Amino acid sequence: MPVDKLQMSRRGFLGLGAAAGVITLTACGTSSGGSSAGPLVMTVWGGDPDRKTYQARIDLLVKKHPDLKVKLQLIPGDSYPQKVQTMIAGGTGPDIMQVAESVNTYSSKSQLLPLDDLAKKAGLDPEQRFGPVGSLYTYQDKLYAIPDRSGAVTVFYNKDMFDKKGIKAPTADWTWDDALDAFKELTVPGKVWGYSGAEWFPQWWSLAYQNGGTIIDANGRPAVDSDEVVEALQWAGDLVFKHKVVPSKADYADMGPDIGGDQAFPNQKVATHANGFWVMSGLTKAAFAWDIAPMWRGKKQAVSAFGSGLAISRTSKQRDNAFKAIDFLTSPEAQTEIISSGQDVPANLEVQKSQAFLKPSWMKTQVNMGVFAESSEFVFRAPFIPEWNEMQDVISNGLADFWLGKERSAKKALTAVQKDLESLIKSAG
């Protein structure tokens, strides 16, 4: 697995991350008016920076609502789904649990509590608070999680290289042709490539949705063999093997072990790189000028987002308190801590548009952070089906030869993937 994908699974296309073990911290209200109920259990995944930021937000929650008690459990990402499902099956599921693309694996098994009534009671309008991602975590028209972290794919670009070639900064109005023209200008054969590539599914899925395609249609059927999706994937593949403006796997291997776009961009091997917020962590000491921009458009604008939401397990005995906590944790006061610590992009749009986000204290260079709020308007709703993990395996395996250049036809590759997905989803149903 390329480092880009390992890195992404940490932040996630709403994916899971790694931690050394289960870490439990407790924040308790000490007011005489405190609740007599036990602490709310909140499970999350991630590393030590995630633990610190979640705990800081919980501390703010308890300060605001002294009647609440919260116990934070950090669970290793690779064992997170099994651990929380075991807890739920045993009747001791977490009151609040972090979820991502597997949300509908849980909800299809009735392991999560629908949140529509609680949100309405609390006056929380997901669309107003989070924009298009507000409905991301729905299954069969019911809301199962409230967005917590959500940063769209953005384009990282080397300003020095762009200036040297006299190319203006990328914009949301760039077309595929504009992008390709720039990539060609920026490419120095064998030394520098114009773009890092779109092999990872959030990247080429963005192209597919821009082209009017979809991975799973409105009726829940696979649609990867449609003309729109085929054209998008072919365009991405041609960048590597026809136009040679993206490094091939062999080119990346020549750069060193475990090198992907996340490393090639800071090393000035690629001039543009479309990925998530975490890429910034490798650019804080960059020796060149860089910035971020919205992703280009196809027939329309569409872009993937990365992040996670907060859900309530069916076994929670403190549902009102759990939602009270979620409501606060996704409010501007608590969400500001996410960017203050440099953890991720807060899902709350008000925070994304705030000075705390636009000019974070840890950012030592001038970066157009407003791109995240701008791009949030373009986020497409990902097909979070119960068979998500199996679907990813089918797609990854089915396109392996395509990305190696052994199979140059996107149509042929996706026709085979379509058949496998139809078998998967039919058998699961």
Side-chain angles (χ1 to χ4, degrees), residues 226-260:
S226 69
D227 291 343
E228 294 82 3
V229 178
V230 168
E231 183 180 17
L233 183 64
Q234 190 67 61
W235 187 80
D238 285 348
L239 294 179
V240 185
F241 303 109
K242 179 180 178 181
H243 304 296
K244 301 186 185 303
V245 296
V246 166
S248 65
K249 286 184 178 291
D251 293 326
Y252 272 124
D254 288 342
M255 296 179 198
D258 297 326
I259 295 293

Side-chain angles (χ1 to χ4, degrees), residues 150-166:
S150 179
V153 168
T154 59
V155 177
F156 293 78
Y157 67 100
N158 187 311
K159 292 177 67 176
D160 290 345
M161 291 183 183
F162 272 64
D163 290 344
K164 185 177 180 180
K165 294 290 185 177

Side-chain angles (χ1 to χ4, degrees), residues 205-216 300 302 380-383:
W205 281 18
S206 294
L207 301 175
Y209 280 79
Q210 287 177 7
N211 204 36
T214 184
I215 304 303
I216 302 293
K300 61 180 181 178
F380 64 83
R381 183 177 172 186

Side-chain angles (χ1 to χ4, degrees), residues 136-159:
L136 192 64
Y137 304 103
T138 57
Y139 179 65
Q140 296 181 343
D141 297 324
K142 292 183 179 180
L143 180 67
Y144 283 96
I146 303 299
D148 186 44
R149 295 153 59 175
S150 179
V153 168
T154 59
V155 177
F156 293 78
Y157 67 100
N158 187 311
K159 292 177 67 176

Side-chain angles (χ1 to χ4, degrees), residues 100-108 136 138-139 205 215-217 219-222 382-392 395 421 424-425 428:
E101 74 276 3
S102 293
V103 62
N104 290 338
T105 301
Y106 303 126
S107 54
S108 66
L136 192 64
T138 57
Y139 179 65
W205 281 18
I215 304 303
I216 302 293
D217 69 20
N219 296 313
R221 295 189 298 261
F384 290 165
I385 61 174
E387 303 84 16
W388 172 270
N389 293 326
E390 295 84 354
M391 177 180 70
Q392 289 306 313
I395 293 174
L421 287 177
L424 167 69
I425 294 176

